């Protein structure tokens, strides 16, 4: 198999997968080293394919979009501490959602977009651990707690459950606008 054909096969495998695929698994399927796969992924990305690397493997945003509905939910943190951040992430993942990112509108820094890729409580805990290890304050401090979460759900029922849970925690912005995103997995700012 020549290089171009192998890269096309990597892309085909990612497009047909419902879960992230590790470089090791791809390398075994295609009978090459994992390092060859890493190089193929880099070349595919440079060719415009939005392949995401997560702790669980490679995936395409379109695969994340197979969850069904992409939404942007306005939230407002009050305590701006680690427990509140975990509670917010748990409210989404415990009700079937995935957090693909966060958007903040800072009067000083402008639009700040953060890729998160949170699928589970474990992902949420690991994300918080990385923030703590970096020694930085929570980014929501820059906006007084106001931010928008980009989430994917399988259906409207999951979205209602997430919204209800966030509201119960006091984290849903009182002026909450839920914007349905036309293409799940892509980041777009909310306009108010």
């Amino acid at each position: 198999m020549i290089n171009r054909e192998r890269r096309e096969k990597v892309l085909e495998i990612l497009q047909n997968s419902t879960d992230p695929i590790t470089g090791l698994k791809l390398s075994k399927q295609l009978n090459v080293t994992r390092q060859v796969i890493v190089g193929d992924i880099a070349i595919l990305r440079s060719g415009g394919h939005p392949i995401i690397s997560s702790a669980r493997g490679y995936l395409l945003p379109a695969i994340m979009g197979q969850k069904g509905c992409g939404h942007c939910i306005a939230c407002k943190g009050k305590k701006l501490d680690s427990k509140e951040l975990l509670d917010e992430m748990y409210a989404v993942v415990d009700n079937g959602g995935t957090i693909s990112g966060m958007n903040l509108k800072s009067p000083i820094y402008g639009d700040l977009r953060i890729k998160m890729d949170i699928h589970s409580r474990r992902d949420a805990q690991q994300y918080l651990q990385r923030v703590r290890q970096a020694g930085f304050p929570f980014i929501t401090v820059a906006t007084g707690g106001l931010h928008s979460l980009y989430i994917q759900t399988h259906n409207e029922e999951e979205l209602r459950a997430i919204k209800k849970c966030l509201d119960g925690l006091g984290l849903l912005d009182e002026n909450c606008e839920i914007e349905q995103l036309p293409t799940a997995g892509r980041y777009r700012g909310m306009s108010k």
Side-chain angles (χ1 to χ4, degrees), residues 127-164:
Y127 178 83
L128 184 60
Q129 185 178 1
R130 286 191 305 272
V131 170
R132 283 182 180 147
Q133 286 174 344
F136 294 120
F138 295 117
I139 192 72
T140 53
V141 170
T143 60
L146 285 173
H147 60 283
S148 300
L149 291 179
Y150 295 110
I151 65 167
Q152 280 91 39
T153 62
H154 289 99
N155 52 50
E156 294 297 318
E157 181 183 334
E158 288 178 349
L159 176 63
R160 284 191 296 275
I162 290 167
K163 185 179 173 189
K164 181 179 179 182

PDB file of all heavy atoms in Angstrom, residues 127-164:
ATOM      1  N   TYR A 127      -9.176  16.980  33.079  1.00  0.00           N
ATOM      2  CA  TYR A 127      -9.125  18.376  32.630  1.00  0.00           C
ATOM      3  C   TYR A 127      -8.823  19.296  33.822  1.00  0.00           C
ATOM      4  O   TYR A 127      -7.932  20.142  33.760  1.00  0.00           O
ATOM      5  CB  TYR A 127     -10.451  18.772  31.969  1.00  0.00           C
ATOM      6  CG  TYR A 127     -10.488  20.211  31.528  1.00  0.00           C
ATOM      7  CD1 TYR A 127      -9.926  20.592  30.311  1.00  0.00           C
ATOM      8  CD2 TYR A 127     -11.069  21.190  32.322  1.00  0.00           C
ATOM      9  CE1 TYR A 127      -9.944  21.903  29.900  1.00  0.00           C
ATOM     10  CE2 TYR A 127     -11.082  22.506  31.920  1.00  0.00           C
ATOM     11  CZ  TYR A 127     -10.528  22.864  30.710  1.00  0.00           C
ATOM     12  OH  TYR A 127     -10.538  24.177  30.309  1.00  0.00           O
ATOM     13  N   LEU A 128      -9.553  19.092  34.908  1.00  0.00           N
ATOM     14  CA  LEU A 128      -9.345  19.908  36.106  1.00  0.00           C
ATOM     15  C   LEU A 128      -7.933  19.711  36.662  1.00  0.00           C
ATOM     16  O   LEU A 128      -7.284  20.680  37.069  1.00  0.00           O
ATOM     17  CB  LEU A 128     -10.387  19.558  37.165  1.00  0.00           C
ATOM     18  CG  LEU A 128     -10.344  20.398  38.433  1.00  0.00           C
ATOM     19  CD1 LEU A 128     -10.575  21.873  38.131  1.00  0.00           C
ATOM     20  CD2 LEU A 128     -11.368  19.896  39.432  1.00  0.00           C
ATOM     21  N   GLN A 129      -7.438  18.506  36.629  1.00  0.00           N
ATOM     22  CA  GLN A 129      -6.077  18.226  37.100  1.00  0.00           C
ATOM     23  C   GLN A 129      -5.045  18.991  36.270  1.00  0.00           C
ATOM     24  O   GLN A 129      -4.090  19.556  36.808  1.00  0.00           O
ATOM     25  CB  GLN A 129      -5.805  16.725  37.054  1.00  0.00           C
ATOM     26  CG  GLN A 129      -4.459  16.335  37.630  1.00  0.00           C
ATOM     27  CD  GLN A 129      -4.249  14.824  37.613  1.00  0.00           C
ATOM     28  OE1 GLN A 129      -5.091  14.060  37.158  1.00  0.00           O
ATOM     29  NE2 GLN A 129      -3.105  14.395  38.114  1.00  0.00           N
ATOM     30  N   ARG A 130      -5.236  19.036  34.943  1.00  0.00           N
ATOM     31  CA  ARG A 130      -4.311  19.780  34.074  1.00  0.00           C
ATOM     32  C   ARG A 130      -4.345  21.276  34.398  1.00  0.00           C
ATOM     33  O   ARG A 130      -3.306  21.928  34.429  1.00  0.00           O
ATOM     34  CB  ARG A 130      -4.644  19.544  32.596  1.00  0.00           C
ATOM     35  CG  ARG A 130      -4.252  18.177  32.088  1.00  0.00           C
ATOM     36  CD  ARG A 130      -4.339  18.058  30.579  1.00  0.00           C
ATOM     37  NE  ARG A 130      -5.626  18.405  30.021  1.00  0.00           N
ATOM     38  CZ  ARG A 130      -6.638  17.568  29.853  1.00  0.00           C
ATOM     39  NH1 ARG A 130      -6.516  16.308  30.213  1.00  0.00           N
ATOM     40  NH2 ARG A 130      -7.766  17.983  29.309  1.00  0.00           N
ATOM     41  N   VAL A 131      -5.532  21.802  34.672  1.00  0.00           N
ATOM     42  CA  VAL A 131      -5.653  23.222  35.029  1.00  0.00           C
ATOM     43  C   VAL A 131      -4.918  23.486  36.340  1.00  0.00           C
ATOM     44  O   VAL A 131      -4.161  24.454  36.464  1.00  0.00           O
ATOM     45  CB  VAL A 131      -7.134  23.652  35.140  1.00  0.00           C
ATOM     46  CG1 VAL A 131      -7.270  25.038  35.734  1.00  0.00           C
ATOM     47  CG2 VAL A 131      -7.811  23.592  33.770  1.00  0.00           C
ATOM     48  N   ARG A 132      -5.113  22.617  37.323  1.00  0.00           N
ATOM     49  CA  ARG A 132      -4.449  22.781  38.626  1.00  0.00           C
ATOM     50  C   ARG A 132      -2.927  22.704  38.485  1.00  0.00           C
ATOM     51  O   ARG A 132      -2.201  23.496  39.076  1.00  0.00           O
ATOM     52  CB  ARG A 132      -4.922  21.712  39.596  1.00  0.00           C
ATOM     53  CG  ARG A 132      -6.282  21.960  40.161  1.00  0.00           C
ATOM     54  CD  ARG A 132      -6.620  20.859  41.141  1.00  0.00           C
ATOM     55  NE  ARG A 132      -7.927  21.055  41.728  1.00  0.00           N
ATOM     56  CZ  ARG A 132      -8.734  20.068  42.070  1.00  0.00           C
ATOM     57  NH1 ARG A 132      -8.369  18.812  41.904  1.00  0.00           N
ATOM     58  NH2 ARG A 132      -9.909  20.329  42.598  1.00  0.00           N
ATOM     59  N   GLN A 133      -2.449  21.728  37.714  1.00  0.00           N
ATOM     60  CA  GLN A 133      -1.005  21.544  37.544  1.00  0.00           C
ATOM     61  C   GLN A 133      -0.367  22.758  36.873  1.00  0.00           C
ATOM     62  O   GLN A 133       0.777  23.098  37.161  1.00  0.00           O
ATOM     63  CB  GLN A 133      -0.717  20.283  36.739  1.00  0.00           C
ATOM     64  CG  GLN A 133      -0.931  19.022  37.527  1.00  0.00           C
ATOM     65  CD  GLN A 133      -0.775  17.768  36.681  1.00  0.00           C
ATOM     66  OE1 GLN A 133      -0.789  17.813  35.466  1.00  0.00           O
ATOM     67  NE2 GLN A 133      -0.647  16.627  37.347  1.00  0.00           N
ATOM     68  N   ALA A 134      -1.104  23.400  35.985  1.00  0.00           N
ATOM     69  CA  ALA A 134      -0.575  24.582  35.307  1.00  0.00           C
ATOM     70  C   ALA A 134      -0.488  25.772  36.265  1.00  0.00           C
ATOM     71  O   ALA A 134       0.261  26.719  36.022  1.00  0.00           O
ATOM     72  CB  ALA A 134      -1.445  24.944  34.105  1.00  0.00           C
ATOM     73  N   GLY A 135      -1.241  25.721  37.357  1.00  0.00           N
ATOM     74  CA  GLY A 135      -1.190  26.785  38.355  1.00  0.00           C
ATOM     75  C   GLY A 135      -1.897  28.066  37.948  1.00  0.00           C
ATOM     76  O   GLY A 135      -1.674  29.120  38.530  1.00  0.00           O
ATOM     77  N   PHE A 136      -2.762  27.985  36.957  1.00  0.00           N
ATOM     78  CA  PHE A 136      -3.488  29.169  36.499  1.00  0.00           C
ATOM     79  C   PHE A 136      -4.845  29.249  37.186  1.00  0.00           C
ATOM     80  O   PHE A 136      -5.432  28.232  37.535  1.00  0.00           O
ATOM     81  CB  PHE A 136      -3.726  29.113  34.985  1.00  0.00           C
ATOM     82  CG  PHE A 136      -2.470  29.185  34.179  1.00  0.00           C
ATOM     83  CD1 PHE A 136      -2.128  28.157  33.325  1.00  0.00           C
ATOM     84  CD2 PHE A 136      -1.619  30.280  34.271  1.00  0.00           C
ATOM     85  CE1 PHE A 136      -0.973  28.210  32.573  1.00  0.00           C
ATOM     86  CE2 PHE A 136      -0.457  30.340  33.525  1.00  0.00           C
ATOM     87  CZ  PHE A 136      -0.133  29.306  32.676  1.00  0.00           C
ATOM     88  N   PRO A 137      -5.384  30.460  37.324  1.00  0.00           N
ATOM     89  CA  PRO A 137      -6.762  30.577  37.828  1.00  0.00           C
ATOM     90  C   PRO A 137      -7.714  30.089  36.730  1.00  0.00           C
ATOM     91  O   PRO A 137      -7.336  29.999  35.560  1.00  0.00           O
ATOM     92  CB  PRO A 137      -6.935  32.075  38.075  1.00  0.00           C
ATOM     93  CG  PRO A 137      -5.935  32.731  37.190  1.00  0.00           C
ATOM     94  CD  PRO A 137      -4.791  31.767  37.063  1.00  0.00           C
ATOM     95  N   PHE A 138      -8.933  29.771  37.118  1.00  0.00           N
ATOM     96  CA  PHE A 138      -9.912  29.348  36.124  1.00  0.00           C
ATOM     97  C   PHE A 138     -10.177  30.486  35.150  1.00  0.00           C
ATOM     98  O   PHE A 138     -10.334  31.635  35.546  1.00  0.00           O
ATOM     99  CB  PHE A 138     -11.207  28.885  36.785  1.00  0.00           C
ATOM    100  CG  PHE A 138     -11.013  27.658  37.621  1.00  0.00           C
ATOM    101  CD1 PHE A 138     -11.225  27.692  38.991  1.00  0.00           C
ATOM    102  CD2 PHE A 138     -10.594  26.476  37.050  1.00  0.00           C
ATOM    103  CE1 PHE A 138     -11.026  26.566  39.758  1.00  0.00           C
ATOM    104  CE2 PHE A 138     -10.385  25.343  37.814  1.00  0.00           C
ATOM    105  CZ  PHE A 138     -10.602  25.383  39.171  1.00  0.00           C
ATOM    106  N   ILE A 139     -10.223  30.161  33.869  1.00  0.00           N
ATOM    107  CA  ILE A 139     -10.357  31.161  32.811  1.00  0.00           C
ATOM    108  C   ILE A 139     -11.645  31.968  32.946  1.00  0.00           C
ATOM    109  O   ILE A 139     -11.710  33.114  32.525  1.00  0.00           O
ATOM    110  CB  ILE A 139     -10.247  30.487  31.418  1.00  0.00           C
ATOM    111  CG1 ILE A 139     -10.097  31.528  30.311  1.00  0.00           C
ATOM    112  CG2 ILE A 139     -11.428  29.596  31.138  1.00  0.00           C
ATOM    113  CD1 ILE A 139      -8.775  32.209  30.278  1.00  0.00           C
ATOM    114  N   THR A 140     -12.667  31.399  33.562  1.00  0.00           N
ATOM    115  CA  THR A 140     -13.936  32.115  33.707  1.00  0.00           C
ATOM    116  C   THR A 140     -13.807  33.329  34.628  1.00  0.00           C
ATOM    117  O   THR A 140     -14.693  34.179  34.645  1.00  0.00           O
ATOM    118  CB  THR A 140     -15.048  31.176  34.221  1.00  0.00           C
ATOM    119  OG1 THR A 140     -14.600  30.528  35.411  1.00  0.00           O
ATOM    120  CG2 THR A 140     -15.413  30.132  33.175  1.00  0.00           C
ATOM    121  N   VAL A 141     -12.711  33.433  35.369  1.00  0.00           N
ATOM    122  CA  VAL A 141     -12.466  34.613  36.201  1.00  0.00           C
ATOM    123  C   VAL A 141     -12.406  35.866  35.317  1.00  0.00           C
ATOM    124  O   VAL A 141     -12.848  36.942  35.707  1.00  0.00           O
ATOM    125  CB  VAL A 141     -11.153  34.439  37.011  1.00  0.00           C
ATOM    126  CG1 VAL A 141     -10.738  35.728  37.695  1.00  0.00           C
ATOM    127  CG2 VAL A 141     -11.313  33.329  38.030  1.00  0.00           C
ATOM    128  N   ALA A 142     -11.904  35.710  34.080  1.00  0.00           N
ATOM    129  CA  ALA A 142     -11.761  36.849  33.160  1.00  0.00           C
ATOM    130  C   ALA A 142     -13.102  37.435  32.733  1.00  0.00           C
ATOM    131  O   ALA A 142     -13.161  38.566  32.260  1.00  0.00           O
ATOM    132  CB  ALA A 142     -10.972  36.426  31.916  1.00  0.00           C
ATOM    133  N   THR A 143     -14.190  36.663  32.918  1.00  0.00           N
ATOM    134  CA  THR A 143     -15.509  37.150  32.493  1.00  0.00           C
ATOM    135  C   THR A 143     -16.508  37.179  33.646  1.00  0.00           C
ATOM    136  O   THR A 143     -17.714  37.227  33.415  1.00  0.00           O
ATOM    137  CB  THR A 143     -16.070  36.246  31.369  1.00  0.00           C
ATOM    138  OG1 THR A 143     -16.198  34.921  31.876  1.00  0.00           O
ATOM    139  CG2 THR A 143     -15.186  36.273  30.143  1.00  0.00           C
ATOM    140  N   GLY A 144     -16.010  37.130  34.861  1.00  0.00           N
ATOM    141  CA  GLY A 144     -16.911  37.134  36.012  1.00  0.00           C
ATOM    142  C   GLY A 144     -17.785  35.889  36.067  1.00  0.00           C
ATOM    143  O   GLY A 144     -18.876  35.914  36.630  1.00  0.00           O
ATOM    144  N   GLY A 145     -17.327  34.815  35.468  1.00  0.00           N
ATOM    145  CA  GLY A 145     -18.070  33.558  35.501  1.00  0.00           C
ATOM    146  C   GLY A 145     -18.938  33.303  34.279  1.00  0.00           C
ATOM    147  O   GLY A 145     -19.406  32.194  34.074  1.00  0.00           O
ATOM    148  N   LEU A 146     -19.180  34.319  33.457  1.00  0.00           N
ATOM    149  CA  LEU A 146     -20.008  34.132  32.254  1.00  0.00           C
ATOM    150  C   LEU A 146     -19.243  33.365  31.188  1.00  0.00           C
ATOM    151  O   LEU A 146     -18.100  33.688  30.894  1.00  0.00           O
ATOM    152  CB  LEU A 146     -20.435  35.479  31.672  1.00  0.00           C
ATOM    153  CG  LEU A 146     -21.528  36.224  32.419  1.00  0.00           C
ATOM    154  CD1 LEU A 146     -21.712  37.613  31.827  1.00  0.00           C
ATOM    155  CD2 LEU A 146     -22.831  35.454  32.373  1.00  0.00           C
ATOM    156  N   HIS A 147     -19.879  32.359  30.617  1.00  0.00           N
ATOM    157  CA  HIS A 147     -19.277  31.576  29.544  1.00  0.00           C
ATOM    158  C   HIS A 147     -20.359  30.775  28.840  1.00  0.00           C
ATOM    159  O   HIS A 147     -21.472  30.640  29.335  1.00  0.00           O
ATOM    160  CB  HIS A 147     -18.188  30.650  30.087  1.00  0.00           C
ATOM    161  CG  HIS A 147     -18.681  29.675  31.111  1.00  0.00           C
ATOM    162  ND1 HIS A 147     -18.934  30.053  32.418  1.00  0.00           N
ATOM    163  CD2 HIS A 147     -18.969  28.361  31.032  1.00  0.00           C
ATOM    164  CE1 HIS A 147     -19.359  29.001  33.102  1.00  0.00           C
ATOM    165  NE2 HIS A 147     -19.390  27.956  32.281  1.00  0.00           N
ATOM    166  N   SER A 148     -20.019  30.252  27.673  1.00  0.00           N
ATOM    167  CA  SER A 148     -20.934  29.391  26.922  1.00  0.00           C
ATOM    168  C   SER A 148     -20.266  28.040  26.723  1.00  0.00           C
ATOM    169  O   SER A 148     -19.092  27.974  26.383  1.00  0.00           O
ATOM    170  CB  SER A 148     -21.240  29.993  25.555  1.00  0.00           C
ATOM    171  OG  SER A 148     -21.838  31.259  25.691  1.00  0.00           O
ATOM    172  N   LEU A 149     -21.028  26.984  26.961  1.00  0.00           N
ATOM    173  CA  LEU A 149     -20.525  25.640  26.717  1.00  0.00           C
ATOM    174  C   LEU A 149     -21.015  25.161  25.362  1.00  0.00           C
ATOM    175  O   LEU A 149     -22.184  25.323  25.026  1.00  0.00           O
ATOM    176  CB  LEU A 149     -21.048  24.662  27.773  1.00  0.00           C
ATOM    177  CG  LEU A 149     -20.537  24.809  29.191  1.00  0.00           C
ATOM    178  CD1 LEU A 149     -21.197  23.761  30.090  1.00  0.00           C
ATOM    179  CD2 LEU A 149     -19.025  24.646  29.235  1.00  0.00           C
ATOM    180  N   TYR A 150     -20.108  24.559  24.591  1.00  0.00           N
ATOM    181  CA  TYR A 150     -20.494  23.901  23.348  1.00  0.00           C
ATOM    182  C   TYR A 150     -20.662  22.427  23.687  1.00  0.00           C
ATOM    183  O   TYR A 150     -19.713  21.783  24.148  1.00  0.00           O
ATOM    184  CB  TYR A 150     -19.421  24.062  22.282  1.00  0.00           C
ATOM    185  CG  TYR A 150     -19.233  25.490  21.854  1.00  0.00           C
ATOM    186  CD1 TYR A 150     -18.090  26.189  22.183  1.00  0.00           C
ATOM    187  CD2 TYR A 150     -20.226  26.140  21.126  1.00  0.00           C
ATOM    188  CE1 TYR A 150     -17.924  27.506  21.788  1.00  0.00           C
ATOM    189  CE2 TYR A 150     -20.071  27.456  20.727  1.00  0.00           C
ATOM    190  CZ  TYR A 150     -18.917  28.130  21.065  1.00  0.00           C
ATOM    191  OH  TYR A 150     -18.762  29.428  20.671  1.00  0.00           O
ATOM    192  N   ILE A 151     -21.873  21.918  23.494  1.00  0.00           N
ATOM    193  CA  ILE A 151     -22.136  20.522  23.842  1.00  0.00           C
ATOM    194  C   ILE A 151     -22.803  19.796  22.680  1.00  0.00           C
ATOM    195  O   ILE A 151     -23.405  20.414  21.806  1.00  0.00           O
ATOM    196  CB  ILE A 151     -23.011  20.392  25.108  1.00  0.00           C
ATOM    197  CG1 ILE A 151     -24.410  20.956  24.865  1.00  0.00           C
ATOM    198  CG2 ILE A 151     -22.358  21.063  26.301  1.00  0.00           C
ATOM    199  CD1 ILE A 151     -25.398  20.582  25.949  1.00  0.00           C
ATOM    200  N   GLN A 152     -22.671  18.478  22.698  1.00  0.00           N
ATOM    201  CA  GLN A 152     -23.401  17.619  21.777  1.00  0.00           C
ATOM    202  C   GLN A 152     -24.259  16.677  22.612  1.00  0.00           C
ATOM    203  O   GLN A 152     -23.829  16.218  23.674  1.00  0.00           O
ATOM    204  CB  GLN A 152     -22.462  16.764  20.910  1.00  0.00           C
ATOM    205  CG  GLN A 152     -21.864  17.485  19.750  1.00  0.00           C
ATOM    206  CD  GLN A 152     -20.547  18.115  20.143  1.00  0.00           C
ATOM    207  OE1 GLN A 152     -19.769  17.535  20.872  1.00  0.00           O
ATOM    208  NE2 GLN A 152     -20.289  19.297  19.659  1.00  0.00           N
ATOM    209  N   THR A 153     -25.471  16.421  22.123  1.00  0.00           N
ATOM    210  CA  THR A 153     -26.369  15.463  22.757  1.00  0.00           C
ATOM    211  C   THR A 153     -26.928  14.539  21.678  1.00  0.00           C
ATOM    212  O   THR A 153     -26.881  14.869  20.492  1.00  0.00           O
ATOM    213  CB  THR A 153     -27.540  16.170  23.472  1.00  0.00           C
ATOM    214  OG1 THR A 153     -28.303  16.899  22.502  1.00  0.00           O
ATOM    215  CG2 THR A 153     -27.044  17.110  24.558  1.00  0.00           C
ATOM    216  N   HIS A 154     -27.462  13.412  22.111  1.00  0.00           N
ATOM    217  CA  HIS A 154     -28.112  12.498  21.167  1.00  0.00           C
ATOM    218  C   HIS A 154     -29.478  13.023  20.743  1.00  0.00           C
ATOM    219  O   HIS A 154     -29.940  12.765  19.652  1.00  0.00           O
ATOM    220  CB  HIS A 154     -28.289  11.112  21.794  1.00  0.00           C
ATOM    221  CG  HIS A 154     -27.003  10.370  21.958  1.00  0.00           C
ATOM    222  ND1 HIS A 154     -26.332  10.323  23.154  1.00  0.00           N
ATOM    223  CD2 HIS A 154     -26.263   9.670  21.077  1.00  0.00           C
ATOM    224  CE1 HIS A 154     -25.237   9.605  23.000  1.00  0.00           C
ATOM    225  NE2 HIS A 154     -25.162   9.198  21.752  1.00  0.00           N
ATOM    226  N   ASN A 155     -30.140  13.753  21.677  1.00  0.00           N
ATOM    227  CA  ASN A 155     -31.512  14.187  21.406  1.00  0.00           C
ATOM    228  C   ASN A 155     -31.893  15.359  22.302  1.00  0.00           C
ATOM    229  O   ASN A 155     -31.130  15.767  23.181  1.00  0.00           O
ATOM    230  CB  ASN A 155     -32.476  13.003  21.609  1.00  0.00           C
ATOM    231  CG  ASN A 155     -32.282  12.343  22.966  1.00  0.00           C
ATOM    232  OD1 ASN A 155     -32.254  12.998  24.000  1.00  0.00           O
ATOM    233  ND2 ASN A 155     -32.127  11.022  22.958  1.00  0.00           N
ATOM    234  N   GLU A 156     -33.083  15.867  22.089  1.00  0.00           N
ATOM    235  CA  GLU A 156     -33.574  17.020  22.858  1.00  0.00           C
ATOM    236  C   GLU A 156     -33.830  16.664  24.321  1.00  0.00           C
ATOM    237  O   GLU A 156     -33.722  17.515  25.189  1.00  0.00           O
ATOM    238  CB  GLU A 156     -34.848  17.573  22.216  1.00  0.00           C
ATOM    239  CG  GLU A 156     -34.638  18.183  20.844  1.00  0.00           C
ATOM    240  CD  GLU A 156     -33.716  19.398  20.868  1.00  0.00           C
ATOM    241  OE1 GLU A 156     -33.825  20.235  21.783  1.00  0.00           O
ATOM    242  OE2 GLU A 156     -32.878  19.501  19.954  1.00  0.00           O
ATOM    243  N   GLU A 157     -34.163  15.413  24.600  1.00  0.00           N
ATOM    244  CA  GLU A 157     -34.403  14.989  25.981  1.00  0.00           C
ATOM    245  C   GLU A 157     -33.139  15.159  26.822  1.00  0.00           C
ATOM    246  O   GLU A 157     -33.188  15.637  27.961  1.00  0.00           O
ATOM    247  CB  GLU A 157     -34.872  13.532  26.004  1.00  0.00           C
ATOM    248  CG  GLU A 157     -35.166  13.014  27.399  1.00  0.00           C
ATOM    249  CD  GLU A 157     -35.567  11.539  27.386  1.00  0.00           C
ATOM    250  OE1 GLU A 157     -36.074  11.051  26.357  1.00  0.00           O
ATOM    251  OE2 GLU A 157     -35.347  10.889  28.417  1.00  0.00           O
ATOM    252  N   GLU A 158     -31.987  14.754  26.262  1.00  0.00           N
ATOM    253  CA  GLU A 158     -30.719  14.940  26.979  1.00  0.00           C
ATOM    254  C   GLU A 158     -30.445  16.416  27.202  1.00  0.00           C
ATOM    255  O   GLU A 158     -30.000  16.817  28.282  1.00  0.00           O
ATOM    256  CB  GLU A 158     -29.571  14.305  26.200  1.00  0.00           C
ATOM    257  CG  GLU A 158     -29.578  12.803  26.218  1.00  0.00           C
ATOM    258  CD  GLU A 158     -28.473  12.163  25.399  1.00  0.00           C
ATOM    259  OE1 GLU A 158     -27.780  12.872  24.623  1.00  0.00           O
ATOM    260  OE2 GLU A 158     -28.290  10.946  25.532  1.00  0.00           O
ATOM    261  N   LEU A 159     -30.716  17.249  26.206  1.00  0.00           N
ATOM    262  CA  LEU A 159     -30.507  18.685  26.342  1.00  0.00           C
ATOM    263  C   LEU A 159     -31.366  19.253  27.475  1.00  0.00           C
ATOM    264  O   LEU A 159     -30.882  20.033  28.299  1.00  0.00           O
ATOM    265  CB  LEU A 159     -30.825  19.405  25.029  1.00  0.00           C
ATOM    266  CG  LEU A 159     -30.734  20.932  25.090  1.00  0.00           C
ATOM    267  CD1 LEU A 159     -29.306  21.385  25.401  1.00  0.00           C
ATOM    268  CD2 LEU A 159     -31.222  21.545  23.785  1.00  0.00           C
ATOM    269  N   ARG A 160     -32.630  18.854  27.529  1.00  0.00           N
ATOM    270  CA  ARG A 160     -33.514  19.334  28.611  1.00  0.00           C
ATOM    271  C   ARG A 160     -32.988  18.897  29.972  1.00  0.00           C
ATOM    272  O   ARG A 160     -33.004  19.673  30.932  1.00  0.00           O
ATOM    273  CB  ARG A 160     -34.945  18.836  28.394  1.00  0.00           C
ATOM    274  CG  ARG A 160     -35.701  19.572  27.310  1.00  0.00           C
ATOM    275  CD  ARG A 160     -37.190  19.232  27.306  1.00  0.00           C
ATOM    276  NE  ARG A 160     -37.449  17.837  27.006  1.00  0.00           N
ATOM    277  CZ  ARG A 160     -37.540  17.330  25.780  1.00  0.00           C
ATOM    278  NH1 ARG A 160     -37.396  18.118  24.732  1.00  0.00           N
ATOM    279  NH2 ARG A 160     -37.786  16.052  25.605  1.00  0.00           N
ATOM    280  N   ALA A 161     -32.504  17.658  30.070  1.00  0.00           N
ATOM    281  CA  ALA A 161     -31.968  17.150  31.339  1.00  0.00           C
ATOM    282  C   ALA A 161     -30.723  17.934  31.759  1.00  0.00           C
ATOM    283  O   ALA A 161     -30.558  18.278  32.938  1.00  0.00           O
ATOM    284  CB  ALA A 161     -31.651  15.661  31.229  1.00  0.00           C
ATOM    285  N   ILE A 162     -29.860  18.242  30.806  1.00  0.00           N
ATOM    286  CA  ILE A 162     -28.649  19.022  31.095  1.00  0.00           C
ATOM    287  C   ILE A 162     -29.024  20.416  31.566  1.00  0.00           C
ATOM    288  O   ILE A 162     -28.515  20.903  32.583  1.00  0.00           O
ATOM    289  CB  ILE A 162     -27.739  19.095  29.845  1.00  0.00           C
ATOM    290  CG1 ILE A 162     -27.125  17.714  29.564  1.00  0.00           C
ATOM    291  CG2 ILE A 162     -26.646  20.153  30.013  1.00  0.00           C
ATOM    292  CD1 ILE A 162     -26.466  17.581  28.208  1.00  0.00           C
ATOM    293  N   LYS A 163     -29.937  21.044  30.851  1.00  0.00           N
ATOM    294  CA  LYS A 163     -30.367  22.396  31.208  1.00  0.00           C
ATOM    295  C   LYS A 163     -31.004  22.413  32.601  1.00  0.00           C
ATOM    296  O   LYS A 163     -30.701  23.289  33.417  1.00  0.00           O
ATOM    297  CB  LYS A 163     -31.350  22.910  30.157  1.00  0.00           C
ATOM    298  CG  LYS A 163     -31.760  24.335  30.366  1.00  0.00           C
ATOM    299  CD  LYS A 163     -32.712  24.800  29.285  1.00  0.00           C
ATOM    300  CE  LYS A 163     -33.247  26.179  29.622  1.00  0.00           C
ATOM    301  NZ  LYS A 163     -34.323  26.594  28.741  1.00  0.00           N
ATOM    302  N   LYS A 164     -31.835  21.428  32.898  1.00  0.00           N
ATOM    303  CA  LYS A 164     -32.489  21.346  34.206  1.00  0.00           C
ATOM    304  C   LYS A 164     -31.453  21.176  35.320  1.00  0.00           C
ATOM    305  O   LYS A 164     -31.539  21.814  36.376  1.00  0.00           O
ATOM    306  CB  LYS A 164     -33.484  20.191  34.219  1.00  0.00           C
ATOM    307  CG  LYS A 164     -34.240  20.042  35.519  1.00  0.00           C
ATOM    308  CD  LYS A 164     -35.231  18.894  35.445  1.00  0.00           C
ATOM    309  CE  LYS A 164     -35.966  18.741  36.774  1.00  0.00           C
ATOM    310  NZ  LYS A 164     -36.894  17.609  36.753  1.00  0.00           N
TER     311      LYS A 164
END
